[in-house]
Amino acid sequence: MVRVIMHGCNGAMGRVITGLAAEDQELEIVAGIDVNPGPDQGYPVFPSLNDCDVQADVVVDFASARAVDGLLDYCEAHGMPLVLCTTGLSEEQVRRVGSASEKTAILRSANMSLGVNLLMKLVQDAARVLAGAGFDIEIVEKHHRRKKDAPSGTALALADSINSAMEDQYRYTYDRSHRSEPRDPGEIGISAVRGGTIVGEHDVIFAGTDEVITFNHTAYSRAIFAKGALSAAKFLAGKEPGLYDMADVVGL
């Protein structure tokens, strides 16, 4: 049985993960961390990891970027494996993740769903064929009105996947309102839409002369991310220090 500490247990994703974990025979959430009050989840909740006295095998994080520094400090100091799902990290925090992974196992992914991680591989293959044929590449992501970071971590991860397949020849463009000129073929355009209760939708568009190919992923509920996080927790428990991602979990 894998023992989990849920970091951000009273948030929307924390509650979804708690519900699914209750049905999982291989995993148990033994404690939660949250500064905000919430309903009784069936396990003790502490305001910080330093206050938690419950033994566990792995931390699953769905909190906020401002809580990541303390989270990394704790996991590094205690050799605690960490499934890091929070997005919107600063460049300094991303570097900090890398250094902390030298001391403990960290799985960081911009998106925890199986479908999105398969999509990252598919768009790499498409870019190798289409970019050389002159196709332009655009990414459009849509999320609910309460999402704070833009563009989404998933949109950036999709762009990074394409760029890595193409030897980093592209730069990213987030806003064209300040310029009046034709599109630069060396750019990947990334656009963000915020509204309503959209869980998450990503389109990767390859636009050529007289034809367009679009790869789309639509999330209809947060459950797909919760399932991925639980699979990641079971995968990561007991692993050697290092930096892992969902491709390791799903075998891509």
Side-chain angles (χ1 to χ4, degrees):
M1 178 72 71
V2 175
R3 300 167 298 174
V4 174
I5 295 174
M6 183 66 231
H7 190 255
C9 63
N10 291 334
M13 280 303 306
R15 294 194 298 272
V16 174
I17 291 173
T18 295
L20 289 177
E23 303 171 1
D24 195 314
Q25 301 300 312
E26 301 175 353
L27 178 148
E28 178 186 6
I29 297 180
V30 294
I33 308 297
D34 211 303
V35 296
N36 299 311
D40 182 9
Q41 306 249 43
Y43 49 75
V45 177
F46 302 89
S48 75
L49 280 164
N50 290 323
D51 295 316
C52 179
D53 58 0
V54 179
Q55 297 296 310
D57 303 303
V58 60
V59 174
V60 173
D61 165 71
F62 260 110
S64 66
R66 64 179 179 272
V68 165
D69 294 330
L71 172 64
L72 291 172
D73 288 342
Y74 177 90
C75 290
E76 183 178 20
H78 293 80
M80 176 70 74
L82 168 64
V83 177
L84 180 60
C85 304
T86 293
T87 60
L89 304 187
S90 68
E91 292 183 5
E92 175 58 33
Q93 286 176 317
V94 172
R95 288 192 292 269
R96 181 77 179 84
V97 170
S99 63
S101 70
E102 297 175 2
K103 301 290 183 62
T104 190
I106 297 179
L107 189 149
R108 176 175 176 258
S109 181
N111 193 296
M112 304 303 294
S113 83
L114 171 62
V116 164
N117 282 276
L118 176 60
L119 178 60
M120 289 181 188
K121 184 177 186 304
L122 294 175
V123 297
Q124 285 187 320
D125 294 340
R128 293 186 184 103
V129 175
L130 300 174
F135 279 66
D136 298 318
I137 305 171
E138 295 280 318
I139 298 172
V140 180
E141 57 96 345
K142 305 173 187 176
H143 284 87
H144 52 87
R145 63 168 68 97
R146 297 180 63 188
K147 185 171 178 61
K148 296 179 180 179
D149 57 310
S152 69
T154 299
L156 291 172
L158 287 164
D160 288 345
S161 294
I162 293 169
N163 217 5
S164 66
M166 301 305 296
E167 299 181 348
D168 295 323
Q169 65 179 270
Y170 290 101
R171 60 180 178 81
Y172 304 158
T173 297
Y174 307 105
D175 179 18
R176 296 189 176 97
S177 63
H178 63 287
R179 39 187 261 215
S180 178
E181 59 189 27
R183 185 188 193 281
D184 184 343
E187 67 185 19
I188 296 176
I190 305 176
S191 304
V193 175
R194 295 288 177 270
T197 59
I198 302 170
V199 175
E201 183 173 343
H202 293 84
D203 289 317
V204 182
I205 303 164
F206 292 87
T209 302
D210 298 330
E211 61 179 332
V212 175
I213 299 170
T214 301
F215 292 84
N216 169 270
H217 179 274
T218 301
Y220 291 102
S221 83
R222 291 185 174 91
I224 63 170
F225 311 125
K227 291 175 183 176
L230 293 177
S231 295
K234 288 183 278 191
F235 166 85
L236 199 64
K239 285 288 189 296
E240 294 295 318
L243 190 57
Y244 303 83
D245 60 27
M246 281 301 291
D248 296 310
V249 178
V250 300
L252 293 176

